[in-house]
Amino acid sequence: MNILAFESSCDETSVAIVSDGRKVLSLEIASQIDIHKRYGGVVPEIASRAHIEAIHSLTSKALEDAKFTMNDIDAVAVTNIPGLIGALLVGVNFAKALAYSHSLPLITVNHIKGHVAANYLCSSDLEPPFMGMVMSGGHTSIIRVDSYTDYTTVARTRDDAVGEAFDKCARVLGIPYPGGKELDRLASLGNKEAIKFPVAKITDNADFSFSGLKTSVINYVHNNSQQGKDICKEDVAASLTEAVCKAVESKISFALDNYTNGSDKFVVGGGVCANSHLRKRIKALCEKRNLKLYLPEFIYCGDNAAMIGAQAYYEICKSPMSQDLTVNAYACNNF
Ligand code: KG4
Ligand code: ZN
């Protein structure tokens, strides 16, 4: 089954063709980073407009790269939840129109499930059940995956997502949006013990909280610059990353101790799982617990439509009924 998939939940317009949920036949990603950089973050209305401008030509390119016409497509899939509502609506309406005009089934996909499904594209042996985690600019959740379509969120962030905290801390250090990747590089050059940043103490469940850490970093930078002191960006990056790693390690451990489905696999997805320090620490944790760790290749960590095509395949296998054209986009869900 060849699925033409769309992703437009935030600041990447992406179109992909995925065969049987596992093989990427083509993948186009148009990033809007250069557009949003001057504002220090994503401006929703500008994002929606940029999606509209990009989506048609990316679709033609995705078909061309796969040497396909619409006659080779068996279904159309699109992210409809969660994300920026205007941005989501561009993808949803484009996918609806395409599915209707070509009499193809339409499948809506949850973006968070897509981030987990990115691993199906990289690891042919991966099958549920497993425990998983998504860390991105908008989400930080630990998820129990009992089948390809049955997901239970066992922990989420109570405030900022980890990527949001990284990006806002980077901004106060003068690093352009999105600063997560640059903080990763700087952290490798700094001393992680230099500054003691706080790790939230939520002890009775696996929920995360990163807003206190973010505020603490911002206060550290402001206080030191007001006193005319030099700020070592490398040390701030390393100490911040250390606090994030400690939080992630302790919450994964809590979730595995209390909510596991007994699987010996741990699966991670989302833009922040590109972070080299987090990857190392989660790898070490999984080795200690005899868990097989699955991480996507870098191209599939951030937002992309191939992961949506992967998840859509399993959604349509479970419920072959097409979504009807009243299907909508939603900004929030429980993940
Ligand atoms: O999954 P994603 O592309 O978009 C959302 O669904 O939010 O994740 C984007 C996030 C941004 O916050 C970005 O700074 C972060 O992923 N990111 C990183 C790294 N690469 C991207 N954060 C830390 N270290 C990285 N290497
Ligand atoms: Zn994402």
Side-chain angles (χ1 to χ4, degrees):
M1 179 185 292
N2 296 320
I3 297 183
L4 177 61
F6 295 92
E7 157 62 41
S8 68
S9 65
C10 190
D11 60 345
E12 265 98 22
T13 323
S14 180
V15 184
I17 298 173
V18 180
S19 167
D20 293 339
R22 296 279 175 167
K23 192 164 177 235
V24 182
L25 303 182
S26 62
L27 171 60
E28 313 300 327
I29 305 175
S31 168
Q32 301 175 7
I33 284 177
D34 285 343
I35 302 173
H36 299 290
K37 224 174 212 168
R38 58 191 293 211
Y39 306 103
V42 178
V43 182
E45 179 58 22
I46 295 175
S48 310
R49 287 166 193 232
H51 286 308
I52 292 170
E53 281 166 8
I55 199 162
H56 194 279
S57 58
L58 289 182
T59 307
S60 305
K61 183 95 186 2
L63 288 165
E64 204 180 293
D65 284 1
K67 301 191 171 48
F68 272 17
T69 68
M70 281 305 291
N71 293 335
D72 301 302
I73 299 296
D74 301 303
V76 176
V78 63
T79 307
N80 77 323
I81 185 171
L84 301 172
I85 190 65
L88 285 168
L89 280 168
V90 176
V92 167
N93 285 314
F94 192 84
K96 266 192 206 182
L98 207 59
Y100 178 67
S101 59
H102 292 274
S103 302
L104 291 169
L106 175 68
I107 311 144
T108 51
V109 174
N110 183 302
H111 182 78
I112 307 302
K113 285 185 174 181
H115 271 306
V116 174
N119 286 279
Y120 301 141
L121 302 169
C122 310
S123 303
S124 54
D125 65 320
L126 177 62
E127 285 177 11
F130 52 76
M131 294 293 287
M133 176 163 187
V134 170
M135 22 184 164
S136 72
H139 296 272
T140 311
S141 302
I142 301 177
I143 303 155
R144 198 176 61 226
V145 181
D146 292 322
S147 76
Y148 283 109
T149 50
D150 296 326
Y151 280 53
T152 308
T153 302
V154 300
R156 58 175 64 85
T157 179
R158 295 192 177 181
D159 39 58
D160 291 333
V162 60
E164 163 86 7
F166 272 134
D167 292 344
K168 291 294 170 347
C169 292
R171 188 163 82 175
V172 79
L173 289 168
I175 298 165
Y177 170 85
K181 194 171 171 195
E182 175 63 3
L183 279 183
D184 185 0
R185 190 188 69 82
L186 290 172
S188 306
L189 308 171
N191 171 10
K192 64 181 183 183
E193 310 295 340
I195 312 150
K196 285 270 165 293
F197 289 128
V199 178
K201 283 201 169 44
I202 303 170
T203 50
D204 56 349
N205 60 51
D207 281 355
F208 296 91
S209 167
F210 291 108
S211 71
L213 172 60
K214 179 185 74 178
T215 306
S216 175
V217 172
I218 292 172
N219 286 345
Y220 174 89
V221 174
H222 283 163
N223 289 341
N224 280 278
S225 54
Q226 279 159 12
Q227 290 168 37
K229 291 184 186 157
D230 282 343
I231 292 156
C232 176
K233 287 186 190 179
E234 290 80 0
D235 284 354
V236 175
S239 304
L240 160 65
T241 303
E242 178 62 14
V244 168
C245 287
K246 278 185 181 157
V248 168
E249 280 169 339
S250 88
K251 294 309 184 178
I252 293 176
S253 297
F254 191 101
L256 291 172
D257 289 343
N258 292 279
Y259 312 121
T260 181
N261 52 14
S263 155
D264 60 356
K265 293 168 245 173
F266 194 73
V267 175
V268 189
V272 180
C273 85
N275 185 280
S276 61
H277 309 274
L278 279 163
R279 284 173 96 95
K280 261 186 234 149
R281 297 282 277 266
I282 295 173
K283 188 165 178 269
L285 188 147
C286 286
E287 272 166 16
K288 215 163 109 192
R289 286 178 166 260
N290 286 323
L291 294 172
K292 183 163 182 200
L293 174 64
Y294 293 83
L295 284 161
E297 287 162 28
F298 288 120
I299 178 85
Y300 301 122
C301 289
D303 291 349
N304 69 88
M307 67 186 197
I308 303 305
Q311 182 60 27
Y313 173 73
Y314 294 103
E315 299 288 347
I316 202 169
C317 287
K318 190 188 170 208
S319 317
M321 282 288 288
S322 168
Q323 299 276 358
D324 70 39
L325 294 176
T326 61
V327 74
N328 210 343
Y330 302 92
C332 299
N333 72 349
N334 287 334
F335 275 105

